[in-house]
């Protein structure tokens, strides 16, 4: 179990990471759906020349952010990463993700007990998941 989850005494969301659809992964992680919000800012390329290394970042002006998750709709497993955001931490995360093919990238921000999202289609010219 990763140290971040062990330190928070939270069970690693193994089942969520096995889900094929973004909706199923979000439901297992949070038990509810997200609403789109212009307060969630995602920076992702329009076109990723190599799906093995797609830079994605997110920031938000929402208060009381407790987690941020990245999902890719068309990947073999939709959930890419989930970050727990400790109180007093700037709610901004960046990562390089793998994408199998052109797909929607979804960012979920949990703030004040509610879920907010941003979605962007990223076109992939060479797949990064064996494609």
């Amino acid at each position: 179990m990763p140290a971040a989850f062990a330190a928070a005494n939270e069970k690693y969301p193994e089942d969520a990471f096995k889900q094929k659809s973004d909706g199923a992964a979000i439901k297992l992680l949070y038990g509810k759906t997200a609403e789109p919000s212009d307060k969630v800012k995602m920076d992702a390329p329009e076109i990723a020349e190599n799906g093995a290394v797609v830079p994605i970042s997110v920031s938000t002006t929402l208060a009381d952010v407790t987690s941020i998750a990245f999902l890719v709709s068309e990947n073999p497993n939709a959930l890419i990463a989930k970050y727990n955001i400790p109180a007093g931490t700037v709610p901004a995360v960046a990562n390089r993700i793998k994408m199998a093919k052109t797909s929607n990238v979804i960012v979920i921000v949990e703030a004040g007990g509610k879920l907010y999202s941003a979605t962007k289609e990223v076109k992939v010219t060479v797949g990064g998941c064996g494609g």
Side-chain angles (χ1 to χ4, degrees):
M1 179 172 358
F5 283 96
N9 289 327
E10 183 178 320
K11 184 181 179 294
Y12 180 74
E14 184 175 348
D15 289 343
F17 278 101
K18 294 179 180 176
Q19 298 306 304
K20 305 300 180 202
S21 79
D22 49 58
I26 294 166
K27 186 174 181 180
L28 273 173
L29 272 180
Y30 298 108
K32 52 191 163 192
T33 58
E35 63 181 64
S37 174
D38 61 359
K39 293 183 178 181
V40 176
K41 302 293 183 201
M42 180 183 4
D43 186 21
E46 295 284 331
I47 299 173
E49 292 184 19
N50 183 348
V53 287
V54 181
I56 306 288
S57 64
V58 63
S59 62
T60 182
T61 57
L62 292 164
D64 301 319
V65 174
T66 52
S67 75
I68 296 174
F70 295 158
L71 299 100
V72 177
S73 298
E74 296 295 324
N75 267 11
N77 294 68
L79 180 59
I80 301 300
K82 179 186 180 250
Y83 300 90
N84 292 331
I85 309 297
T89 304
V90 174
V93 177
N95 202 342
R96 293 187 182 276
I97 66 173
K98 278 189 175 185
M99 294 182 66
K101 57 186 174 182
T102 297
S103 178
N104 280 336
V105 175
I106 303 165
V107 174
I108 303 292
V109 174
E110 182 180 28
K114 294 183 179 179
L115 297 183
Y116 303 92
S117 68
T119 303
K120 181 175 183 178
E121 182 182 65
V122 176
K123 292 178 174 56
V124 175
T125 58
V126 176
C129 297

